[in-house]
Amino acid sequence: MVLTRFRLVLAAALIAPFSLVTLCPAQKAKPASHVSHPWDDKTLSPDRRADMVLEQMTLEEKLGMVHGIGWGVLREGAPYPADSNHGAGYVPGIARLGIPKIDLADSAVGVRMSAFDGRYSTLLPSALALASTWDLDAAHLYGEVIGRELRAQGYNMSIGGGMDLTREPRNGRNFEYAGEDPVLAGNMVGRLAMGVQSQHVMGDIKHYALNDQETLRNTINVVMDKRAMRETDLLAFEIAIKMAEPAGVMCSYNKVNGDWACENDYLLNQVLKKDWGFKGWVLSDWEATHSTVKAANAGLDQEMPGEDYFGQKLKDAITARQVSMDRLNDMNHRILRSMFAAGVIDYPIQRSVVDPFKGKEDAQHIAEESIVLLKNEGGQLPLVAGKSRRIALIGGHADVGVLSGGGSAQVDAPGGNAIDPQHGGTVWGKPVYFPSSPMKAIRKLAPSASVTYISGDDTASAATAAKDADVAVVFATQFMTEGADAPTLSLPDEQDALISAVAAANPHTIVVLETGGPVSMPWLANVSAVLAAWYPGIGGGESIADLLFGQANPSAKLPITFAKSESDLPEPNIVGWAERYPTSDNGGPRHAPSVDLHYKDSLAVGYRWYEVNKRQPLFAFGHGLSYTTFQYSTLHVDGQTRTVQFVVTNTGKLPGAEVAQLYVRLPQAAGEPFQRLAGWERVQLASGEKRTITIKLNPAWISTFDDKADRWQLMPGDYGIEVGGASDAISLKGTIHFSE
Ligand code: BGC
């Protein structure tokens, strides 16, 4: 009997650890040592739960939450904080209260620095490519991929969600952002952040605000009136923040109207927190904190990545009552409530294996919707397999892969840089190609053709190769990275001359662009087709091939204007370029001169500027062709319900998707003589199919901001309604009247 009991106890002891593992589903498991706390009750609101934790916290614990610890792997020789996941930032948890650490990773276009831990991350198409899809579901999916892979790698916060509007088309980070229109960018980035947070990972939107160029980013002072700010760059943030309620908003490096963005009472306290009701926390960009008392009182909640200002100095300021205890509590409340709201406390992170196949499938789906067919003369595309017997591929390392963007958005390529695999990892400032070979994908789709590749380093041999082929496809690349803007709109490395020489040798020349943003095209009239593939991600090679051969029908539309040349830009020369320290790789050093940046016609951002200044763009905002054709008809507007209705018909022979765009023109009294995007719908239509589209106007997107009264106003009067397939291809026009 005694023996039996002993055996039972032993058996139970042996089985217990295993049964614990099998009984607890991975994402819901609480650690065995978990002590339950009153705030574990999921039926309570995140705010209530945060307050309950806050009541138990010591001063030291509160101070510990409001700054990061160290630089992780970002600085050579810097120690890793114990327990950190080697991402860009880390804030220790409070074990006794069951509050986990915050482990955050850069993840603008996929999780950064995963190779450091021998892990894999999916490289998505650039964020600008995502914006070219105008597909809100694709944006959600994009965020889901990032959130899912962050979780799998042990992170619980994303620092992606780039949102700065394209005011400077040469900006090195445009590929991380969502274009030049506030309504498009706000909606796309908002959905992206929702996708991240759907995975129980905290989301972030950055860089708040007006960090629209890298040149002198650490010192430049953007001077802009409230109306222009609120109706453009800040409107984009407002839309996304209200939609997604992200955990974090990262304030930027630059100054706005004289104050650093991270100690700017107007931006942080008055607009973000008071007007928009943002409940999350403001974290500084890395070393963008410049003070303790001013920053804390202006609304900065957390210094990243270290504790120069929000460590001992904040403690001293609290003791001296220069910063109130209420304010410190508010900082903590914001962080804690965001952790509860996103679910990172209820669903603790459990490392698992990233699924590269699922990642690639998602990336490729987004890429196929994101590649813009800019020109297609005489139906050059799609190519017909079997018809073009000799296809010459030229340049852009199209034999091995596709280009990615650099800086803190750089994702590590599996197997190392495809053009230099023996040197493995990524190096800041060096272009990284991903192993998704357009050549291999094209060979697969055209098995009977002779598909050759030549590097394009030698223009004469490239021209000879083109001459001997039925079709020549030039892959032109432009590497862009955080910390540096492009000096001009031209493709680098004499690729314009290469394309011209190839086009002169072969009348069937197609150009595939892999660029961070818009480029000029002096050769445009001489080539028959152009595809803007941006940085197309890990499925890029296959996506480009599918579109070239009509396996997929292009449906993307430009989220950004392509200018003919620099002389058509608001600033022909980048402001601050001359003052920028020539050897710096990071937008200019912190002691660089502070130059004022007054954007010309600042209210007329992007395509609006071209209209106001009567400049003809090379390709207009919203432009993008398809292999089928669409017709717009039967416009109905209704001022009472504020709706616009119209019919889109696929009049071509192929199925395809159209992004039907709705622009408004405000009443004359508004003093805004330009189009404003007010809505759109992406519709998939079979050949001959028609669809009635109804768009309800959102007053918040077509209002004006009254500086003096400090409020929004929907002007009474007649609004011009314009519907079509691009900002410069308006098919239907009407007027809608709003009374007071
Ligand atoms: C960038 C941020 C990034 C941070 C951490 C900064 O230089 O501006 O976008 O999240 O570094 O890597």
Side-chain angles (χ1 to χ4, degrees), residues 172-409:
R173 302 190 83 170
N174 283 336
F175 77 93
E176 296 183 50
Y177 303 145
E180 66 191 24
D181 182 81
V183 173
L184 179 64
N187 279 281
M188 294 300 284
V189 177
R191 287 294 284 260
L192 186 160
M194 284 171 74
V196 171
Q197 299 206 144
S198 73
Q199 304 299 303
H200 296 312
V201 166
M202 291 186 284
D204 165 72
I205 293 184
K206 69 186 185 184
H207 308 90
Y208 185 68
L210 290 151
N211 181 189
D212 299 338
Q213 67 173 50
E214 288 298 277
T215 300
L216 290 189
R217 70 172 178 179
N218 292 308
T219 51
I220 207 147
N221 176 36
V222 179
V223 182
M224 198 180 285
D225 62 73
K226 287 183 186 170
R227 175 173 179 180
M229 275 197 272
R230 297 297 294 264
E231 291 185 33
T232 62
D233 294 57
L234 298 200
L235 178 58
F237 279 95
E238 178 174 0
I239 292 170
I241 288 165
K242 286 184 174 167
M243 179 194 298
E245 301 188 359
V249 166
M250 184 191 288
C251 50
S252 57
Y253 285 124
N254 54 296
K255 291 181 186 173
V256 175
N257 293 332
D259 283 328
W260 300 106
C262 289
E263 54 181 49
N264 195 307
D265 182 72
Y266 179 70
L267 289 180
L268 306 182
N269 276 341
Q270 294 182 47
V271 177
L272 175 66
K273 292 182 175 177
K274 188 163 157 276
D275 282 12
W276 301 346
F278 173 62
K279 291 183 179 158
W281 84 93
V282 179
L283 63 156
S284 74
D285 199 343
W286 271 227
E287 289 197 325
T289 308
H290 290 269
S291 64
T292 301
V293 176
K294 183 170 177 188
N297 290 335
L300 178 67
D301 299 304
Q302 190 181 58
E303 177 187 2
M304 276 293 177
E307 52 181 313
D308 292 346
Y309 297 98
F310 275 28
Q312 183 60 43
K313 284 187 187 159
L314 183 58
K315 189 176 183 181
D316 295 345
I318 286 168
T319 310
R321 295 176 191 268
Q322 292 168 303
V323 175
S324 69
M325 187 57 85
D326 280 355
R327 179 69 190 102
L328 180 65
N329 286 340
D330 176 46
M331 295 173 187
N332 275 272
H333 175 92
R334 287 169 173 278
I335 297 168
L336 291 165
R337 69 93 52 206
S338 304
M339 295 177 87
F340 282 115
V344 304
I345 296 177
D346 298 333
Y347 305 90
I349 295 295
Q350 301 257 321
R351 281 169 179 264
S352 63
V353 178
V354 170
D355 180 349
F357 303 103
K358 177 83 178 94
K360 182 164 181 178
E361 193 185 309
D362 292 341
Q364 197 173 323
H365 164 72
I366 296 166
E368 284 178 5
E369 288 192 351
S370 78
I371 297 176
V372 191
L373 179 61
L374 292 175
K375 174 175 179 178
N376 193 18
E377 204 172 270
Q380 172 70 65
L381 292 174
L383 296 172
V384 179
K387 202 165 154 212
S388 311
R389 308 217 63 84
R390 293 158 306 163
I391 304 174
L393 309 182
I394 299 163
H397 301 283
D399 53 337
V400 292
V402 289
L403 184 58
S404 59
S408 60

Side-chain angles (χ1 to χ4, degrees), residues 609-656:
W609 192 85
Y610 289 80
E611 184 175 351
V612 168
N613 290 280
K614 301 189 172 51
R615 305 276 164 96
Q616 190 65 37
L618 188 62
F619 292 111
F621 177 82
H623 170 76
L625 305 172
S626 163
Y627 297 149
T628 188
T629 46
F630 298 98
Q631 198 190 60
Y632 289 75
S633 62
T634 343
L635 178 70
H636 287 298
V637 296
D638 183 341
Q640 284 296 308
T641 56
R642 293 183 181 154
T643 50
V644 176
Q645 204 179 63
F646 53 93
V647 174
V648 181
T649 310
N650 180 347
T651 48
K653 293 199 174 62
L654 295 169

Side-chain angles (χ1 to χ4, degrees), residues 654-718:
L654 295 169
E658 168 72 329
V659 178
Q661 300 158 41
L662 164 62
Y663 296 87
V664 298
R665 289 184 181 277
L666 268 48
Q668 233 175 5
E672 296 190 9
F674 44 73
Q675 296 168 306
R676 282 173 67 162
L677 180 72
W680 72 90
E681 190 153 320
R682 208 188 133 86
V683 283
Q684 176 73 40
L685 296 173
S687 168
E689 195 187 355
K690 58 172 75 170
R691 185 87 45 87
T692 301
I693 293 175
T694 307
I695 299 179
K696 196 165 168 56
L697 288 164
N698 183 335
W701 302 350
I702 52 173
S703 290
T704 53
F705 189 79
D706 181 342
D707 282 54
K708 294 193 187 73
D710 205 35
R711 65 176 177 87
W712 288 98
Q713 182 187 13
L714 184 66
M715 275 213 174
D718 288 338

